[in-house]
Amino acid sequence: MSEGADPSAPPIPGVAQLGWLRRPGPAPQIPPGHSVSRVAVEHRGAYELVDDSGEATGALDAGVRHAAQTPFDYPTVGDWVVRSLEARHNRRVVITDVLERTSLLCRRAAGPRAWPQLVAANADVLAVVTTPAPTSDAPASETAGIGHRIEWYLTAAFGGGAQPVIVLNKVDTVSSDECDKTVDVLRQRLGAAAADVPILATSALDGRGLDRLGALASDGATVALSGPSGVGKSSLANRLAGAEVVPVAPLSPDGRGRHTTVRRQLVPVGGPRGGTLVDTPGLQDLIPWGGDLQLPPAARTVDGLVAAFGEIATLAQSCRFADCAHTAEPDCAVTAAVAAGELPTERLSTYLELVADMEIPETFGSERAPR
Ligand SMILES: Nc1nc2c(ncn2[C@@H]2O[C@H](COP(=O)(O)OP(=O)(O)OP(=O)(O)O)[C@@H](O)[C@H]2O)c(=O)[nH]1
Ligand SMILES: [Mg+2]
Ligand SMILES: [Zn+2]
């Protein structure tokens, strides 16, 4: 329990491992007959909750549901919620409040309409899982994992208040030279962000590097695992949990993932001094939500785009126009850097695509959530 909490109050069953002690600020007032739990799994209209006293299924209080305007008002995996101790309807406890988030990973859902999909709340770290070159003759930049736009994940993490790390999994499938080469390619690819983004080499098969990943998910910290299908997110979660908590399936014959994981799920790892992982379904690309994430100001210490594309942000200060789009404008310092070979073309094209995809129509927010 946080400092300043009433010592005579019943112990709040938000356990250290689930991250309750990491929450900043004073402990919230919990009404009598209620306690706090963390959302482990989200179903349509129901939530699997975990806390010290075990597991429960919760449903959103009707008043909270009616007041909800956008997807940000609904609980998501990783959220801390206030819930009734007693089950009321259909043996479900009632969720009466969603506590303020310390971070939020949010993507723009696929489809013609811009709509935010909350991926995980209160994650301290976003681990972007990828894989090294599967064969020695494949160029390192065209590997299964690195083909996706890794900077987009970093933008979502930085902008949502989570620390990104890159996890290069399946290093047992390549030589140590190939692994080193892939790490170098990744570092170059990340430009100025490379200094702020650790790269971990792991194998869920032989256990290499798992201590480093496990160390990130200790002392109540939450690590969300994201990345394309088949890179081994669920295998890493199971390995660190020491049990088959989430399903894993073989790759299809062409070496692609099968989208085995179909739901986001909190996976406690490492015992009482440990933390939690969030296993997520494979995503070929993650378009960060470009609108307001409704986080407290302290959670958004950096703008995601600036943090993920620092060298472009620096160059842009020398463009002639303050609102330069870095495409065909005269005296554009960014396109000039590309022409001079100082900024990789792919880095700028990834950036421009991202800026276009993150655009949010003005009308968002005035519509009701589609549930
Ligand atoms: N050689 C090797 N195989 C691995 C490793 N990690 C996972 N695999 C295998 O890769 C396949 C896919 O693993 P998953 O853990 O299901 O991958 P995922 O990222 O969770 O995939 P989705 O749930 O579809 O997003 C399985 O056959 C695993 O056994 C690893 O470190 N080395
Ligand atoms: Mg999986
Ligand atoms: Zn410019």
Side-chain angles (χ1 to χ4, degrees):
M1 208 183 290
S2 304
E3 266 179 34
D6 177 2
S8 64
I12 293 176
V15 292
Q17 185 183 2
L18 289 169
W20 181 248
L21 303 181
R22 298 176 72 92
R23 289 185 62 81
Q29 292 287 328
I30 309 297
H34 291 71
S35 69
V36 290
S37 295
R38 204 163 180 205
V39 176
V41 179
E42 183 189 334
H43 301 284
R44 262 194 174 277
Y47 302 87
E48 287 176 30
L49 308 175
V50 278
D51 57 46
D52 264 351
S53 60
E55 294 167 8
T57 304
L60 205 54
D61 173 72
V64 177
R65 202 171 57 238
H66 287 305
Q69 296 287 326
T70 73
F72 296 104
D73 300 324
Y74 290 86
T76 194
V77 171
D79 262 323
W80 286 100
V81 296
V82 178
R83 38 107 2 152
S84 65
L85 287 170
E86 297 295 324
R88 291 186 196 159
H89 310 292
N90 300 329
R91 280 177 278 158
R92 289 175 179 176
V93 300
V94 179
I95 297 170
T96 56
D97 199 10
V98 183
L99 299 183
E100 190 166 62
R101 298 174 177 130
T102 56
S103 79
L104 181 62
L105 299 165
C106 184
R107 64 186 279 253
R108 179 181 168 142
R113 251 174 102 223
W115 201 258
Q117 189 198 20
L118 282 58
V119 177
N122 303 315
D124 299 280
V125 172
L126 173 66
V128 187
V129 187
T130 183
T131 53
T135 61
S136 53
D137 32 85
S141 58
E142 286 176 22
T143 63
I146 304 173
H148 70 283
R149 287 162 276 205
I150 222 158
E151 297 96 330
W152 295 20
Y153 288 86
L154 304 192
T155 304
F158 280 127
Q163 165 67 46
V165 303
I166 293 173
V167 173
L168 191 60
N169 188 41
K170 306 200 187 184
V171 292
D172 57 276
T173 61
V174 294
S175 68
S176 64
D177 277 359
E178 285 169 315
C179 176
D180 293 347
K181 202 167 106 194
T182 312
V183 171
D184 285 346
V185 169
L186 276 169
R187 286 229 166 82
Q188 281 168 26
R189 163 98 182 244
L190 296 182
D196 302 318
V197 183
I199 301 176
L200 276 56
T202 63
S203 167
L205 197 70
D206 68 20
R208 244 178 295 172
L210 290 188
D211 46 346
R212 284 188 71 197
L213 184 59
L216 293 174
S218 63
D219 290 329
T222 300
V223 178
L225 302 167
S226 194
S229 180
V231 293
K233 300 177 294 297
S234 301
S235 304
L236 290 166
N238 284 339
R239 183 86 195 212
L240 284 171
E244 292 288 306
V245 182
V246 284
V248 164
L251 298 170
S252 60
D254 66 1
R256 288 175 181 270
R258 292 176 184 271
H259 292 283
T260 306
T261 302
V262 293
R263 65 184 199 181
R264 292 165 291 124
Q265 180 171 351
L266 214 64
V267 179
V269 296
R273 299 292 306 276
T276 47
L277 299 177
V278 184
D279 188 27
T280 68
L283 281 177
Q284 198 51 41
D285 278 318
L286 183 147
I287 304 173
W289 178 249
D292 184 13
L293 296 177
Q294 304 183 14
L295 291 171
R300 289 198 58 155
T301 47
V302 282
D303 177 60
L305 271 172
V306 171
F309 295 93
E311 72 276 36
I312 294 182
T314 305
L315 284 164
Q317 291 172 358
S318 305
C319 293
R320 188 204 290 184
F321 302 112
D323 63 347
C324 184
H326 319 310
T327 50
E329 291 81 356
D331 295 330
C332 170
V334 178
T335 49
V338 172
E342 289 156 12
L343 178 70
T345 315
E346 314 86 70
R347 191 92 172 125
L348 178 57
S349 53
T350 309
Y351 172 83
L352 292 177
E353 260 183 279
L354 179 55
V355 170
D357 276 337
M358 279 175 76
E359 233 168 69
I360 304 303
E362 303 271 313
T363 55
F364 173 77
S366 57
E367 303 167 70
R368 280 188 64 83
R371 298 201 199 194

